[in-house]
Amino acid sequence: MTKKIKISINGMTVEVKEGITILDAARSVGVIIPTLCYHKDLCIAGNCRVCVVEVAGQKRLAAACATPCEEEMEIFTNSLNVLHSRKEIIELLLSEHNADCTSCFKNGNCELQKLASDYKILKQDFIRLVPFKKYSIDKYSPSIIKDDSKCIRCQRCVRTCSELQGINALTVAYKGDQMKITTFFEKPINDVVCSTCGQCINHCPTGALVERNYIEKVWDAISDSTKHVIVQTAPAVRVGLGEELGFGHGERVTGKMVTALKRLGFDAVMDTDFTADLTIMEEGTELLTRLKRALVDHDPEVKLPMATSCSPGWIKYMEHIFPEFLEHLSTCKSPQQMFGALAKTYYAKARNLAPETIVSVSIMPCTAKKFEASRPEMHSSGYRDVDFVLTTRELAIMIKQAGIDF
Ligand code: SF4
Ligand code: SF4
Ligand code: FES
């Protein structure tokens, strides 16, 4: 059994498990300590210092996320010293940050912006201390935009890519005020082993990593009377959309979602489930064909076992990391791409529409789908199969923009 120790937090005596950090101990009794570089999914980095607290008997403030509690420790999370230091740390972070909040995709959803607001950072003492404008924006990827001028170098993205995804597409380069998050030989993120999974975006506290958004392009298509705009939604969206718009975790909002899509002006609303069935049928046929070649025809060239995935991130991962196994992958398209191809062939014919007038939009839970739609081979209909991929987040933004009371 884990030993318990007694500590005091802001004068309250608390019993906690030995070895627990000050941050976790404080949270367990409802005391909020702000964090930036800390993330519960990731190992501790302890580099932003926003979580500093005072420990009786210690000269220097301690980082709550990286300091384990000790018996009889007296901790103060909101002393004047702590509040002043924290405020100064936030000011310093802002001094290197392109705080162009109103034109940032993360406006309203940025952890640094929230801290600046909570701590009422009104002084400009450090503002513009470091010329952030020397940094570049990497916008070559169809999925991800990386804007170094908004990076606070917390390294959550680097740890995410390494610890959670096992890919290591991102790394830290240089030191001091030159330090930056970059890739192998500072290449664009589109030219390295990145699977475009988007997990670094989800873990980035600021607007330094965001999805490439296609909201304006979809609005343009919807308002163009010469276009027939067809939308498909992936199964996960009917839950994710609810969470994004304030419903409980796991609550399905299928009916509301379909109504909202119709009210947004899409000409046809469809479900990717249909082509998920087609994908399974195609994959099953391919497997039977390979088995026949192996077991009946004794073809030594056939590759077994056969692996399949509807995730373009996983496919890209295999292409980069395990190219020797590529022939084991099914050649079938993902449901998103089968849908896109059918929209501009079978559906166009059934509805008597010219394929070039059809704009095919998909709502997907993952940024890798944006990359997949942009692959040059995804034009089997003679046109780009899927024109625009929106994430669940982008659809939620469109619903808010349209003033739909979801
Ligand atoms: S998108 Fe995924 S693979 Fe690419 S850098 Fe981010 S976490 Fe790594
Ligand atoms: S890109 Fe985002 S997650 Fe990565 S270091 Fe910069 S602010 Fe942190
Ligand atoms: S959150 Fe503790 S040092 Fe960054």
Side-chain angles (χ1 to χ4, degrees), residues 176-210:
D177 69 355
Q178 301 298 310
M179 183 183 153
K180 65 190 280 196
I181 305 303
T182 186
T183 57
F184 181 67
F185 276 104
E186 300 196 34
K187 290 182 176 185
I189 208 163
N190 203 34
D191 293 345
V192 295
V193 293
C194 168
S195 70
T196 68
C197 67
Q199 284 307 308
C200 53
I201 296 173
N202 287 344
H203 288 82
C204 177
T206 70
L209 282 165
V210 294

PDB file of all heavy atoms in Angstrom, residues 176-210:
ATOM      1  N   GLY A 176      18.638  29.161 -25.911  1.00  0.00           N
ATOM      2  CA  GLY A 176      18.298  30.522 -25.498  1.00  0.00           C
ATOM      3  C   GLY A 176      17.166  31.094 -26.330  1.00  0.00           C
ATOM      4  O   GLY A 176      16.219  30.391 -26.677  1.00  0.00           O
ATOM      5  N   ASP A 177      17.290  32.395 -26.679  1.00  0.00           N
ATOM      6  CA  ASP A 177      16.179  33.005 -27.417  1.00  0.00           C
ATOM      7  C   ASP A 177      16.126  32.547 -28.876  1.00  0.00           C
ATOM      8  O   ASP A 177      15.210  32.902 -29.616  1.00  0.00           O
ATOM      9  CB  ASP A 177      16.214  34.538 -27.303  1.00  0.00           C
ATOM     10  CG  ASP A 177      17.395  35.145 -28.041  1.00  0.00           C
ATOM     11  OD1 ASP A 177      18.234  34.378 -28.551  1.00  0.00           O
ATOM     12  OD2 ASP A 177      17.470  36.388 -28.097  1.00  0.00           O
ATOM     13  N   GLN A 178      17.122  31.752 -29.292  1.00  0.00           N
ATOM     14  CA  GLN A 178      17.095  31.192 -30.653  1.00  0.00           C
ATOM     15  C   GLN A 178      16.355  29.849 -30.701  1.00  0.00           C
ATOM     16  O   GLN A 178      16.082  29.315 -31.771  1.00  0.00           O
ATOM     17  CB  GLN A 178      18.529  30.949 -31.160  1.00  0.00           C
ATOM     18  CG  GLN A 178      19.406  32.175 -31.204  1.00  0.00           C
ATOM     19  CD  GLN A 178      18.856  33.211 -32.164  1.00  0.00           C
ATOM     20  OE1 GLN A 178      18.534  32.892 -33.296  1.00  0.00           O
ATOM     21  NE2 GLN A 178      18.713  34.434 -31.700  1.00  0.00           N
ATOM     22  N   MET A 179      16.074  29.310 -29.522  1.00  0.00           N
ATOM     23  CA  MET A 179      15.489  27.967 -29.458  1.00  0.00           C
ATOM     24  C   MET A 179      14.170  27.899 -30.228  1.00  0.00           C
ATOM     25  O   MET A 179      13.354  28.809 -30.150  1.00  0.00           O
ATOM     26  CB  MET A 179      15.234  27.621 -27.997  1.00  0.00           C
ATOM     27  CG  MET A 179      14.713  26.251 -27.778  1.00  0.00           C
ATOM     28  SD  MET A 179      14.416  26.094 -26.011  1.00  0.00           S
ATOM     29  CE  MET A 179      13.156  24.886 -26.032  1.00  0.00           C
ATOM     30  N   LYS A 180      13.990  26.824 -30.973  1.00  0.00           N
ATOM     31  CA  LYS A 180      12.743  26.675 -31.715  1.00  0.00           C
ATOM     32  C   LYS A 180      12.366  25.209 -31.872  1.00  0.00           C
ATOM     33  O   LYS A 180      13.213  24.328 -31.740  1.00  0.00           O
ATOM     34  CB  LYS A 180      12.838  27.361 -33.083  1.00  0.00           C
ATOM     35  CG  LYS A 180      13.853  26.729 -34.017  1.00  0.00           C
ATOM     36  CD  LYS A 180      14.081  27.577 -35.246  1.00  0.00           C
ATOM     37  CE  LYS A 180      13.000  27.406 -36.267  1.00  0.00           C
ATOM     38  NZ  LYS A 180      13.381  27.907 -37.597  1.00  0.00           N
ATOM     39  N   ILE A 181      11.110  25.006 -32.165  1.00  0.00           N
ATOM     40  CA  ILE A 181      10.624  23.654 -32.442  1.00  0.00           C
ATOM     41  C   ILE A 181      10.704  23.482 -33.949  1.00  0.00           C
ATOM     42  O   ILE A 181      10.188  24.306 -34.713  1.00  0.00           O
ATOM     43  CB  ILE A 181       9.154  23.488 -31.983  1.00  0.00           C
ATOM     44  CG1 ILE A 181       9.000  23.853 -30.507  1.00  0.00           C
ATOM     45  CG2 ILE A 181       8.654  22.078 -32.277  1.00  0.00           C
ATOM     46  CD1 ILE A 181       9.860  23.095 -29.546  1.00  0.00           C
ATOM     47  N   THR A 182      11.359  22.426 -34.372  1.00  0.00           N
ATOM     48  CA  THR A 182      11.533  22.274 -35.808  1.00  0.00           C
ATOM     49  C   THR A 182      11.518  20.794 -36.194  1.00  0.00           C
ATOM     50  O   THR A 182      11.124  19.944 -35.394  1.00  0.00           O
ATOM     51  CB  THR A 182      12.826  22.995 -36.265  1.00  0.00           C
ATOM     52  OG1 THR A 182      12.889  22.954 -37.683  1.00  0.00           O
ATOM     53  CG2 THR A 182      14.076  22.374 -35.679  1.00  0.00           C
ATOM     54  N   THR A 183      11.928  20.530 -37.413  1.00  0.00           N
ATOM     55  CA  THR A 183      11.906  19.163 -37.941  1.00  0.00           C
ATOM     56  C   THR A 183      13.313  18.810 -38.419  1.00  0.00           C
ATOM     57  O   THR A 183      14.223  19.646 -38.362  1.00  0.00           O
ATOM     58  CB  THR A 183      10.960  19.083 -39.150  1.00  0.00           C
ATOM     59  OG1 THR A 183      11.429  20.044 -40.088  1.00  0.00           O
ATOM     60  CG2 THR A 183       9.525  19.374 -38.790  1.00  0.00           C
ATOM     61  N   PHE A 184      13.458  17.621 -38.940  1.00  0.00           N
ATOM     62  CA  PHE A 184      14.735  17.163 -39.478  1.00  0.00           C
ATOM     63  C   PHE A 184      15.250  18.163 -40.525  1.00  0.00           C
ATOM     64  O   PHE A 184      14.557  18.451 -41.505  1.00  0.00           O
ATOM     65  CB  PHE A 184      14.501  15.784 -40.112  1.00  0.00           C
ATOM     66  CG  PHE A 184      15.709  15.134 -40.694  1.00  0.00           C
ATOM     67  CD1 PHE A 184      16.745  14.710 -39.882  1.00  0.00           C
ATOM     68  CD2 PHE A 184      15.801  14.923 -42.061  1.00  0.00           C
ATOM     69  CE1 PHE A 184      17.859  14.091 -40.424  1.00  0.00           C
ATOM     70  CE2 PHE A 184      16.910  14.310 -42.611  1.00  0.00           C
ATOM     71  CZ  PHE A 184      17.942  13.894 -41.791  1.00  0.00           C
ATOM     72  N   PHE A 185      16.408  18.738 -40.281  1.00  0.00           N
ATOM     73  CA  PHE A 185      17.021  19.732 -41.174  1.00  0.00           C
ATOM     74  C   PHE A 185      16.104  20.926 -41.447  1.00  0.00           C
ATOM     75  O   PHE A 185      16.183  21.552 -42.494  1.00  0.00           O
ATOM     76  CB  PHE A 185      17.463  19.100 -42.503  1.00  0.00           C
ATOM     77  CG  PHE A 185      18.811  18.448 -42.419  1.00  0.00           C
ATOM     78  CD1 PHE A 185      18.919  17.075 -42.361  1.00  0.00           C
ATOM     79  CD2 PHE A 185      19.971  19.209 -42.384  1.00  0.00           C
ATOM     80  CE1 PHE A 185      20.167  16.464 -42.262  1.00  0.00           C
ATOM     81  CE2 PHE A 185      21.221  18.606 -42.287  1.00  0.00           C
ATOM     82  CZ  PHE A 185      21.326  17.232 -42.224  1.00  0.00           C
ATOM     83  N   GLU A 186      15.212  21.190 -40.497  1.00  0.00           N
ATOM     84  CA  GLU A 186      14.286  22.326 -40.594  1.00  0.00           C
ATOM     85  C   GLU A 186      13.451  22.307 -41.877  1.00  0.00           C
ATOM     86  O   GLU A 186      13.124  23.341 -42.465  1.00  0.00           O
ATOM     87  CB  GLU A 186      15.046  23.653 -40.454  1.00  0.00           C
ATOM     88  CG  GLU A 186      15.756  23.757 -39.116  1.00  0.00           C
ATOM     89  CD  GLU A 186      16.191  25.159 -38.766  1.00  0.00           C
ATOM     90  OE1 GLU A 186      15.486  26.112 -39.137  1.00  0.00           O
ATOM     91  OE2 GLU A 186      17.234  25.294 -38.125  1.00  0.00           O
ATOM     92  N   LYS A 187      13.122  21.099 -42.309  1.00  0.00           N
ATOM     93  CA  LYS A 187      12.293  20.979 -43.519  1.00  0.00           C
ATOM     94  C   LYS A 187      10.843  21.309 -43.177  1.00  0.00           C
ATOM     95  O   LYS A 187      10.444  21.213 -42.016  1.00  0.00           O
ATOM     96  CB  LYS A 187      12.348  19.541 -44.036  1.00  0.00           C
ATOM     97  CG  LYS A 187      13.686  19.160 -44.618  1.00  0.00           C
ATOM     98  CD  LYS A 187      13.601  17.758 -45.140  1.00  0.00           C
ATOM     99  CE  LYS A 187      14.890  17.371 -45.828  1.00  0.00           C
ATOM    100  NZ  LYS A 187      14.814  16.070 -46.438  1.00  0.00           N
ATOM    101  N   PRO A 188      10.032  21.638 -44.185  1.00  0.00           N
ATOM    102  CA  PRO A 188       8.597  21.813 -43.913  1.00  0.00           C
ATOM    103  C   PRO A 188       8.025  20.514 -43.339  1.00  0.00           C
ATOM    104  O   PRO A 188       8.486  19.417 -43.695  1.00  0.00           O
ATOM    105  CB  PRO A 188       7.999  22.104 -45.292  1.00  0.00           C
ATOM    106  CG  PRO A 188       9.144  22.559 -46.125  1.00  0.00           C
ATOM    107  CD  PRO A 188      10.371  21.887 -45.586  1.00  0.00           C
ATOM    108  N   ILE A 189       7.037  20.630 -42.492  1.00  0.00           N
ATOM    109  CA  ILE A 189       6.471  19.453 -41.824  1.00  0.00           C
ATOM    110  C   ILE A 189       5.918  18.449 -42.844  1.00  0.00           C
ATOM    111  O   ILE A 189       5.860  17.250 -42.606  1.00  0.00           O
ATOM    112  CB  ILE A 189       5.398  19.909 -40.802  1.00  0.00           C
ATOM    113  CG1 ILE A 189       5.295  18.910 -39.667  1.00  0.00           C
ATOM    114  CG2 ILE A 189       4.071  20.189 -41.426  1.00  0.00           C
ATOM    115  CD1 ILE A 189       4.599  19.448 -38.439  1.00  0.00           C
ATOM    116  N   ASN A 190       5.555  18.955 -44.015  1.00  0.00           N
ATOM    117  CA  ASN A 190       5.025  18.092 -45.076  1.00  0.00           C
ATOM    118  C   ASN A 190       6.102  17.196 -45.680  1.00  0.00           C
ATOM    119  O   ASN A 190       5.790  16.209 -46.338  1.00  0.00           O
ATOM    120  CB  ASN A 190       4.431  18.978 -46.185  1.00  0.00           C
ATOM    121  CG  ASN A 190       3.404  18.252 -47.006  1.00  0.00           C
ATOM    122  OD1 ASN A 190       2.681  17.411 -46.481  1.00  0.00           O
ATOM    123  ND2 ASN A 190       3.348  18.555 -48.291  1.00  0.00           N
ATOM    124  N   ASP A 191       7.376  17.546 -45.467  1.00  0.00           N
ATOM    125  CA  ASP A 191       8.470  16.802 -46.107  1.00  0.00           C
ATOM    126  C   ASP A 191       9.212  15.890 -45.145  1.00  0.00           C
ATOM    127  O   ASP A 191      10.307  15.429 -45.457  1.00  0.00           O
ATOM    128  CB  ASP A 191       9.482  17.785 -46.722  1.00  0.00           C
ATOM    129  CG  ASP A 191       8.886  18.557 -47.875  1.00  0.00           C
ATOM    130  OD1 ASP A 191       7.825  18.144 -48.365  1.00  0.00           O
ATOM    131  OD2 ASP A 191       9.474  19.580 -48.266  1.00  0.00           O
ATOM    132  N   VAL A 192       8.659  15.682 -43.947  1.00  0.00           N
ATOM    133  CA  VAL A 192       9.336  14.793 -43.002  1.00  0.00           C
ATOM    134  C   VAL A 192       8.415  13.621 -42.666  1.00  0.00           C
ATOM    135  O   VAL A 192       7.382  13.443 -43.316  1.00  0.00           O
ATOM    136  CB  VAL A 192       9.778  15.560 -41.727  1.00  0.00           C
ATOM    137  CG1 VAL A 192      10.829  16.604 -42.068  1.00  0.00           C
ATOM    138  CG2 VAL A 192       8.592  16.188 -41.016  1.00  0.00           C
ATOM    139  N   VAL A 193       8.787  12.840 -41.650  1.00  0.00           N
ATOM    140  CA  VAL A 193       8.037  11.605 -41.380  1.00  0.00           C
ATOM    141  C   VAL A 193       6.675  11.822 -40.715  1.00  0.00           C
ATOM    142  O   VAL A 193       6.003  10.862 -40.356  1.00  0.00           O
ATOM    143  CB  VAL A 193       8.852  10.622 -40.502  1.00  0.00           C
ATOM    144  CG1 VAL A 193      10.056  10.091 -41.236  1.00  0.00           C
ATOM    145  CG2 VAL A 193       9.255  11.291 -39.188  1.00  0.00           C
ATOM    146  N   CYS A 194       6.262  13.056 -40.549  1.00  0.00           N
ATOM    147  CA  CYS A 194       4.972  13.375 -39.918  1.00  0.00           C
ATOM    148  C   CYS A 194       3.828  12.587 -40.567  1.00  0.00           C
ATOM    149  O   CYS A 194       3.704  12.555 -41.785  1.00  0.00           O
ATOM    150  CB  CYS A 194       4.717  14.869 -40.058  1.00  0.00           C
ATOM    151  SG  CYS A 194       3.058  15.362 -39.641  1.00  0.00           S
ATOM    152  N   SER A 195       2.990  11.976 -39.721  1.00  0.00           N
ATOM    153  CA  SER A 195       1.858  11.204 -40.261  1.00  0.00           C
ATOM    154  C   SER A 195       0.618  12.071 -40.430  1.00  0.00           C
ATOM    155  O   SER A 195      -0.431  11.567 -40.820  1.00  0.00           O
ATOM    156  CB  SER A 195       1.542  10.036 -39.323  1.00  0.00           C
ATOM    157  OG  SER A 195       0.984  10.531 -38.128  1.00  0.00           O
ATOM    158  N   THR A 196       0.721  13.342 -40.095  1.00  0.00           N
ATOM    159  CA  THR A 196      -0.381  14.322 -40.122  1.00  0.00           C
ATOM    160  C   THR A 196      -1.536  13.926 -39.197  1.00  0.00           C
ATOM    161  O   THR A 196      -2.681  14.296 -39.425  1.00  0.00           O
ATOM    162  CB  THR A 196      -0.921  14.599 -41.555  1.00  0.00           C
ATOM    163  OG1 THR A 196      -1.569  13.433 -42.050  1.00  0.00           O
ATOM    164  CG2 THR A 196       0.165  15.019 -42.513  1.00  0.00           C
ATOM    165  N   CYS A 197      -1.204  13.186 -38.145  1.00  0.00           N
ATOM    166  CA  CYS A 197      -2.249  12.707 -37.228  1.00  0.00           C
ATOM    167  C   CYS A 197      -2.943  13.845 -36.485  1.00  0.00           C
ATOM    168  O   CYS A 197      -4.080  13.701 -36.036  1.00  0.00           O
ATOM    169  CB  CYS A 197      -1.655  11.733 -36.222  1.00  0.00           C
ATOM    170  SG  CYS A 197      -0.499  12.511 -35.066  1.00  0.00           S
ATOM    171  N   GLY A 198      -2.237  14.961 -36.285  1.00  0.00           N
ATOM    172  CA  GLY A 198      -2.851  16.112 -35.622  1.00  0.00           C
ATOM    173  C   GLY A 198      -2.795  16.075 -34.106  1.00  0.00           C
ATOM    174  O   GLY A 198      -3.323  16.969 -33.441  1.00  0.00           O
ATOM    175  N   GLN A 199      -2.157  15.068 -33.535  1.00  0.00           N
ATOM    176  CA  GLN A 199      -2.115  14.994 -32.069  1.00  0.00           C
ATOM    177  C   GLN A 199      -1.317  16.143 -31.461  1.00  0.00           C
ATOM    178  O   GLN A 199      -1.610  16.609 -30.366  1.00  0.00           O
ATOM    179  CB  GLN A 199      -1.543  13.641 -31.628  1.00  0.00           C
ATOM    180  CG  GLN A 199      -2.525  12.502 -31.768  1.00  0.00           C
ATOM    181  CD  GLN A 199      -3.843  12.797 -31.077  1.00  0.00           C
ATOM    182  OE1 GLN A 199      -3.883  13.163 -29.906  1.00  0.00           O
ATOM    183  NE2 GLN A 199      -4.933  12.683 -31.808  1.00  0.00           N
ATOM    184  N   CYS A 200      -0.277  16.606 -32.188  1.00  0.00           N
ATOM    185  CA  CYS A 200       0.493  17.752 -31.670  1.00  0.00           C
ATOM    186  C   CYS A 200      -0.395  18.998 -31.630  1.00  0.00           C
ATOM    187  O   CYS A 200      -0.269  19.833 -30.733  1.00  0.00           O
ATOM    188  CB  CYS A 200       1.734  17.989 -32.523  1.00  0.00           C
ATOM    189  SG  CYS A 200       1.382  18.137 -34.273  1.00  0.00           S
ATOM    190  N   ILE A 201      -1.317  19.108 -32.590  1.00  0.00           N
ATOM    191  CA  ILE A 201      -2.246  20.245 -32.601  1.00  0.00           C
ATOM    192  C   ILE A 201      -3.120  20.190 -31.346  1.00  0.00           C
ATOM    193  O   ILE A 201      -3.310  21.185 -30.654  1.00  0.00           O
ATOM    194  CB  ILE A 201      -3.143  20.195 -33.864  1.00  0.00           C
ATOM    195  CG1 ILE A 201      -2.305  20.353 -35.122  1.00  0.00           C
ATOM    196  CG2 ILE A 201      -4.243  21.243 -33.796  1.00  0.00           C
ATOM    197  CD1 ILE A 201      -3.084  20.148 -36.412  1.00  0.00           C
ATOM    198  N   ASN A 202      -3.624  18.986 -31.052  1.00  0.00           N
ATOM    199  CA  ASN A 202      -4.506  18.840 -29.886  1.00  0.00           C
ATOM    200  C   ASN A 202      -3.789  19.145 -28.577  1.00  0.00           C
ATOM    201  O   ASN A 202      -4.426  19.535 -27.609  1.00  0.00           O
ATOM    202  CB  ASN A 202      -5.059  17.406 -29.812  1.00  0.00           C
ATOM    203  CG  ASN A 202      -6.091  17.158 -30.881  1.00  0.00           C
ATOM    204  OD1 ASN A 202      -6.600  18.104 -31.480  1.00  0.00           O
ATOM    205  ND2 ASN A 202      -6.395  15.907 -31.148  1.00  0.00           N
ATOM    206  N   HIS A 203      -2.484  18.935 -28.547  1.00  0.00           N
ATOM    207  CA  HIS A 203      -1.747  19.147 -27.300  1.00  0.00           C
ATOM    208  C   HIS A 203      -1.061  20.502 -27.231  1.00  0.00           C
ATOM    209  O   HIS A 203      -0.491  20.843 -26.196  1.00  0.00           O
ATOM    210  CB  HIS A 203      -0.723  18.024 -27.098  1.00  0.00           C
ATOM    211  CG  HIS A 203      -1.359  16.706 -26.728  1.00  0.00           C
ATOM    212  ND1 HIS A 203      -1.902  15.862 -27.665  1.00  0.00           N
ATOM    213  CD2 HIS A 203      -1.578  16.124 -25.531  1.00  0.00           C
ATOM    214  CE1 HIS A 203      -2.414  14.805 -27.058  1.00  0.00           C
ATOM    215  NE2 HIS A 203      -2.229  14.938 -25.757  1.00  0.00           N
ATOM    216  N   CYS A 204      -1.081  21.277 -28.310  1.00  0.00           N
ATOM    217  CA  CYS A 204      -0.425  22.597 -28.301  1.00  0.00           C
ATOM    218  C   CYS A 204      -1.316  23.593 -27.553  1.00  0.00           C
ATOM    219  O   CYS A 204      -2.491  23.734 -27.869  1.00  0.00           O
ATOM    220  CB  CYS A 204      -0.192  23.077 -29.735  1.00  0.00           C
ATOM    221  SG  CYS A 204       0.531  24.731 -29.804  1.00  0.00           S
ATOM    222  N   PRO A 205      -0.765  24.298 -26.562  1.00  0.00           N
ATOM    223  CA  PRO A 205      -1.621  25.207 -25.783  1.00  0.00           C
ATOM    224  C   PRO A 205      -1.925  26.523 -26.495  1.00  0.00           C
ATOM    225  O   PRO A 205      -2.781  27.279 -26.051  1.00  0.00           O
ATOM    226  CB  PRO A 205      -0.784  25.468 -24.519  1.00  0.00           C
ATOM    227  CG  PRO A 205       0.628  25.261 -24.947  1.00  0.00           C
ATOM    228  CD  PRO A 205       0.605  24.233 -26.035  1.00  0.00           C
ATOM    229  N   THR A 206      -1.206  26.818 -27.577  1.00  0.00           N
ATOM    230  CA  THR A 206      -1.391  28.106 -28.267  1.00  0.00           C
ATOM    231  C   THR A 206      -1.772  27.875 -29.734  1.00  0.00           C
ATOM    232  O   THR A 206      -2.038  26.752 -30.139  1.00  0.00           O
ATOM    233  CB  THR A 206      -0.080  28.921 -28.233  1.00  0.00           C
ATOM    234  OG1 THR A 206       0.869  28.257 -29.088  1.00  0.00           O
ATOM    235  CG2 THR A 206       0.497  29.035 -26.835  1.00  0.00           C
ATOM    236  N   GLY A 207      -1.712  28.926 -30.520  1.00  0.00           N
ATOM    237  CA  GLY A 207      -2.031  28.814 -31.947  1.00  0.00           C
ATOM    238  C   GLY A 207      -0.812  28.488 -32.795  1.00  0.00           C
ATOM    239  O   GLY A 207      -0.832  28.703 -34.008  1.00  0.00           O
ATOM    240  N   ALA A 208       0.252  27.964 -32.171  1.00  0.00           N
ATOM    241  CA  ALA A 208       1.474  27.670 -32.930  1.00  0.00           C
ATOM    242  C   ALA A 208       1.304  26.468 -33.848  1.00  0.00           C
ATOM    243  O   ALA A 208       1.990  26.352 -34.860  1.00  0.00           O
ATOM    244  CB  ALA A 208       2.636  27.433 -31.968  1.00  0.00           C
ATOM    245  N   LEU A 209       0.415  25.562 -33.485  1.00  0.00           N
ATOM    246  CA  LEU A 209       0.111  24.418 -34.351  1.00  0.00           C
ATOM    247  C   LEU A 209      -1.405  24.344 -34.479  1.00  0.00           C
ATOM    248  O   LEU A 209      -2.106  24.176 -33.474  1.00  0.00           O
ATOM    249  CB  LEU A 209       0.632  23.116 -33.729  1.00  0.00           C
ATOM    250  CG  LEU A 209       2.127  22.842 -33.866  1.00  0.00           C
ATOM    251  CD1 LEU A 209       2.556  21.735 -32.912  1.00  0.00           C
ATOM    252  CD2 LEU A 209       2.496  22.468 -35.294  1.00  0.00           C
ATOM    253  N   VAL A 210      -1.887  24.500 -35.676  1.00  0.00           N
ATOM    254  CA  VAL A 210      -3.342  24.429 -35.890  1.00  0.00           C
ATOM    255  C   VAL A 210      -3.616  23.655 -37.177  1.00  0.00           C
ATOM    256  O   VAL A 210      -2.734  23.501 -38.019  1.00  0.00           O
ATOM    257  CB  VAL A 210      -3.999  25.831 -36.005  1.00  0.00           C
ATOM    258  CG1 VAL A 210      -3.914  26.595 -34.702  1.00  0.00           C
ATOM    259  CG2 VAL A 210      -3.392  26.630 -37.135  1.00  0.00           C
TER     260      VAL A 210
END
